């Protein structure tokens, strides 16, 4: 019945998509650039992915924020009829989800077409629609819980801004206050930020599953792991062993010796589980009480064996990549290069490989790889993983990050619906209001 409402809602998404995509459709205008626009050169692709997620959350909130509060008088008048609260909510949810599906569809069609993101319309729509629906439920929850429209619209920025700041995009998690963050894992608040799950899912899928990279990803993954082990991991442990040899007879260096042995033991314990064929059998003797110079020398020899093993793995992976490239170039070199230019993006690659960052960090007796997160399987259990992990563990199974993150967002949506159906936030605010009245009663104005 409200034509203006429908027109604004259905035009808002494509208009925003057009302006966002057109503004960030960057390419080099120097005369040396004879190709024009190519996706590979557009430095703004990560910005588009992130802003698309924020648009989904913001629009999902604003569309649904008044849906229940505007019916409050009707609900109060008809309360004596004992109408089904869940039926009323489902009528709202169904309409909101249909609107969100259309908005997400038009946004993806316009935005991805302008930026020439090929072959990923469906996956972008699934992730953005999921973000839209989560925001719909959050909007309905606050619409039911607060008493005035003004309060609701004041609250919306407080719900959206954390999605921007705590998503791990604007500021990396390890760059936040060390008191509430960690260089080795995503902090607890990052786990409840929808923008983080949505952006990560799209960024990982865009890089890993585009038509060009998916042909080389398994080989690149093996090479990345081997290169890290044979360079950064090996050199760090070798330095620890050499330091331990020097500190062995120095009474003033016994604390440093104990810490070096702790790092060596922790890393070798994990490596023995990962690669039993090259296990160091005397790892339990890496303690200040049991270690000997002879044991440390044997460890140096063993580390050299491990380095040579990973060198062979790296060389084999490189050979497979070269063979695959040669095969594709022999078929049609121009088509192969066009595929790379049209489907990959250099700026996104810098993001998901953590290019330019310190490759390894040492925290609490462990060494953590910071380079190439897109090639590292998660170490944590049940969805716990580093940022840009290619997969997540769910009940012991590795699930691609895109689908794992979609499931997480829908779980958030379901939890918000349960909170809305039970009116948990409304009851909490009412309880706080009653407590406040008892503690700070209003002044008595009677004469």
């Amino acid at each position: 019945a409200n034509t203006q409402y429908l027109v604004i809602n259905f035009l808002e998404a494509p208009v925003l998509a057009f302006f966002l995509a057109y503004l960030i459709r960057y390419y080099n205008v120097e005369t040396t650039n004879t190709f024009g626009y190519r996706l590979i050169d557009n430095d703004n692709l990560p910005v588009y992915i992130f802003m698309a997620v924020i648009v989904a959350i913001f629009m999902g909130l604003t569309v649904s924020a008044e849906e229940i509060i505007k019916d409050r008088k009707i609900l109060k008048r008809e309360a004596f009829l004992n109408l089904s609260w869940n039926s009323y909510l489902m009528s709202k949810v169904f309409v909101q989800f249909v609107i969100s599906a259309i908005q997400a569809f038009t946004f993806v069609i316009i935005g991805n077409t302008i930026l020439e993101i090929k072959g990923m319309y469906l996956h972008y729509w699934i992730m953005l629609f999921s973000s839209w629906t989560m925001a719909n439920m959050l909007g309905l929850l606050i619409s039911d819980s607060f008493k005035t429209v003004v309060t609701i619209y004041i609250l919306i920025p407080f719900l959206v801004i954390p999605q921007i700041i705590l998503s791990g995009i604007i500021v990396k998690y390890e760059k936040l206050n060390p008191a509430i963050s960690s260089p080795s894992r995503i902090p607890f608040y990052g786990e409840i930020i929808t923008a983080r799950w949505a952006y990560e899912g799209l960024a990982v899928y865009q890089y890993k599953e585009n038509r060009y990279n998916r042909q080389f990803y398994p080989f690149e993954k093996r090479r990345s792991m081997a290169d890290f082990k044979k360079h950064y991991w090996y050199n760090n442990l070798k330095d620890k062993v050499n330091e331990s040899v020097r500190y062995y007879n120095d009474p003033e260096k016994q604390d440093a010796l104990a810490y070096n042995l702790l790092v060596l033991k922790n890393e070798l314990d994990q490596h023995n589980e990962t690669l039993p064929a090259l296990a160091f059998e005397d790892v339990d003797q890496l303690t200040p009480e049991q270690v000997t110079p002879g044991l440390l020398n044997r460890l140096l020899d063993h580390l050299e064996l491990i380095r040579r093993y990973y060198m062979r793995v790296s060389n084999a992976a490189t050979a497979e990549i070269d063979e695959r490239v040669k095969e594709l170039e022999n078929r049609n070199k121009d088509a192969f290069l066009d595929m790379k230019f049209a489907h990959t993006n250099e700026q996104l690659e810098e993001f998901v490989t953590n290019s330019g960052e310190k490759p390894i960090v040492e925290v609490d007796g462990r060494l953590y790889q910071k380079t190439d997160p897109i090639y590292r399987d998660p170490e944590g259990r049940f969805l716990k993983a580093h940022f840009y992990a290619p997969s997540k563990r769910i009940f012991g199974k590795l699930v691609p990050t895109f689908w794992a993150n979609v499931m997480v967002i829908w779980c958030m949506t379901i939890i918000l619906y349960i909170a809305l159906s039970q009116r948990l936030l409304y009851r909490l605010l009412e309880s706080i209001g009653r407590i406040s009245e008892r503690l700070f009663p209003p002044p008595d104005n009677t004469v």
Side-chain angles (χ1 to χ4, degrees):
N2 191 337
T3 305
Q4 186 181 56
Y5 171 87
L6 289 176
V7 170
I8 291 175
N9 276 310
F10 289 141
L11 284 181
E12 187 177 10
V15 169
L16 283 174
F18 174 81
F19 281 109
L20 173 63
Y22 186 77
L23 285 172
I24 65 176
R25 184 186 158 94
Y26 167 79
Y27 60 94
N28 190 347
V29 295
E30 294 181 6
T31 55
T32 54
N33 180 9
T34 59
F35 299 101
Y37 176 82
R38 300 184 302 181
L39 184 66
I40 190 173
D41 300 320
N42 190 344
D43 293 342
N44 299 319
L45 180 61
V47 175
Y48 170 74
I49 297 174
F50 180 60
M51 289 308 301
V53 171
I54 297 302
V55 166
I57 294 172
F58 179 76
M59 287 186 62
L61 269 171
T62 54
V63 166
S64 59
E66 286 189 52
E67 284 301 305
I68 295 179
I69 196 171
K70 71 181 182 181
D71 294 342
R72 185 155 290 170
K73 291 181 179 179
I74 299 174
L75 292 171
K76 187 175 181 180
R77 185 169 64 244
E78 297 182 352
F80 71 94
L81 297 175
N82 293 321
L83 300 177
S84 170
W85 171 245
N86 277 308
S87 295
Y88 169 76
L89 291 181
M90 288 307 298
S91 69
K92 293 292 185 182
V93 169
F94 177 76
V95 172
Q96 292 300 309
F97 281 15
V98 170
I99 292 173
S100 294
I102 296 171
Q103 289 176 325
F105 175 79
T106 55
F107 186 95
V108 170
I109 291 295
I110 300 297
N112 286 28
T113 300
I114 292 174
L115 290 181
E116 299 182 15
I117 300 173
K118 299 177 181 178
M120 298 194 174
Y121 288 100
L122 178 61
H123 288 81
Y124 268 74
W125 178 83
I126 290 172
M127 187 63 79
L128 293 183
F129 173 60
S130 301
S131 302
W132 239 289
T133 55
M134 188 288 308
N136 287 156
M137 295 309 308
L138 185 57
L140 291 173
L141 182 65
I142 62 174
S143 182
D144 173 59
S145 304
F146 292 89
K147 296 180 179 179
T148 64
V149 175
V150 173
T151 303
I152 291 171
Y153 280 100
I154 290 174
L155 186 63
I156 286 177
F158 288 95
L159 298 174
V160 174
I161 290 173
Q163 298 286 341
I164 299 173
I165 298 175
L166 302 180
S167 62
I169 317 304
I170 303 299
V171 183
K172 293 183 178 180
Y173 288 123
E174 59 264 31
K175 302 295 184 181
L176 294 172
N177 188 335
I180 56 171
S181 65
S182 169
S184 60
R185 63 182 183 274
I186 295 175
F188 70 93
Y189 46 82
E191 307 290 3
I192 59 174
I193 297 297
T194 303
R196 168 247 160 161
W197 294 98
Y199 169 83
E200 181 190 42
L202 284 175
V204 168
Y205 189 85
Q206 176 77 48
Y207 178 80
K208 182 183 171 186
E209 299 295 338
N210 70 69
R211 186 181 170 193
Y212 179 86
N213 280 345
R214 68 187 177 204
Q215 302 177 81
F216 302 100
Y217 181 83
F219 313 127
E220 293 284 4
K221 182 177 181 178
R222 290 204 299 272
R223 182 167 70 175
S224 170
M225 177 272 296
D227 287 349
F228 174 79
K229 290 289 187 180
K230 75 176 184 178
H231 290 306
Y232 306 111
W233 187 82
Y234 165 79
N235 288 332
N236 200 291
L237 293 190
K238 180 182 176 182
D239 291 343
K240 296 288 183 189
V241 175
N242 288 329
E243 282 184 358
S244 298
V245 171
R246 294 198 305 271
Y247 296 162
Y248 183 75
N249 291 316
D250 189 342
E252 297 181 356
K253 297 291 187 179
Q254 293 306 296
D255 289 341
L257 172 64
Y259 179 77
N260 284 349
L261 293 176
L262 174 64
V263 174
L264 289 167
K265 186 177 186 306
N266 288 341
E267 292 303 311
L268 289 169
D269 270 335
Q270 185 182 44
H271 191 266
N272 286 352
E273 293 180 8
T274 305
L275 193 64
L278 277 177
F280 184 66
E281 302 296 341
D282 300 323
V283 67
D284 291 334
Q285 298 181 33
L286 293 173
T287 63
E289 296 78 21
Q290 301 182 67
V291 72
T292 64
L295 175 63
L296 294 173
N297 287 328
R298 291 202 308 273
L299 179 54
L300 278 177
D301 294 337
H302 189 81
L303 288 175
E304 179 62 21
L305 288 176
I306 293 176
R307 186 187 71 83
R308 291 177 182 176
Y309 167 79
Y310 284 116
M311 185 178 294
R312 293 193 296 272
V313 173
S314 176
N315 291 340
T318 301
E320 288 179 292
I321 292 171
D322 292 342
E323 182 179 349
R324 182 62 176 158
V325 169
K326 185 177 180 180
E327 176 187 345
L328 293 170
E329 286 183 338
N330 287 339
R331 290 181 190 174
N332 190 326
K333 185 174 182 179
D334 291 337
F336 172 70
L337 293 175
D338 289 342
M339 178 174 59
K340 180 178 181 179
F341 296 150
H343 292 272
T344 64
N345 182 263
E346 292 178 349
Q347 189 67 18
L348 182 63
E349 181 176 353
E350 289 188 17
F351 273 62
V352 299
T353 59
N354 232 356
S355 177
E357 294 294 324
K358 188 176 180 181
I360 191 170
V361 295
E362 185 176 326
V363 181
D364 298 330
R366 283 293 312 275
L367 302 178
Y368 294 96
Q369 180 180 347
K370 301 304 291 182
T371 58
D372 290 348
I374 190 66
Y375 295 120
R376 288 191 286 126
D377 287 330
E379 295 181 5
R381 299 178 180 178
F382 198 77
L383 295 171
K384 295 291 290 184
H386 55 276
F387 204 39
Y388 296 125
S391 57
K392 306 285 175 68
R393 294 190 188 278
I394 300 180
F395 302 116
K397 302 288 186 179
L398 284 177
V399 177
T401 288
F402 179 88
W403 295 111
N405 290 16
V406 167
M407 286 189 282
V408 168
I409 295 174
W410 276 99
C411 285
M412 292 180 180
T413 304
I414 293 169
I415 291 170
L416 288 172
Y417 179 80
I418 293 171
L420 176 60
S421 65
Q422 301 300 315
R423 308 195 76 183
L424 298 181
L425 182 57
Y426 173 83
R427 292 176 182 178
L428 176 63
L429 294 175
E430 287 293 304
S431 299
I432 293 174
R434 287 194 294 269
I435 294 172
S436 299
E437 288 180 0
R438 292 195 196 102
L439 295 176
F440 309 101
D444 188 358
N445 296 325
T446 58
V447 179

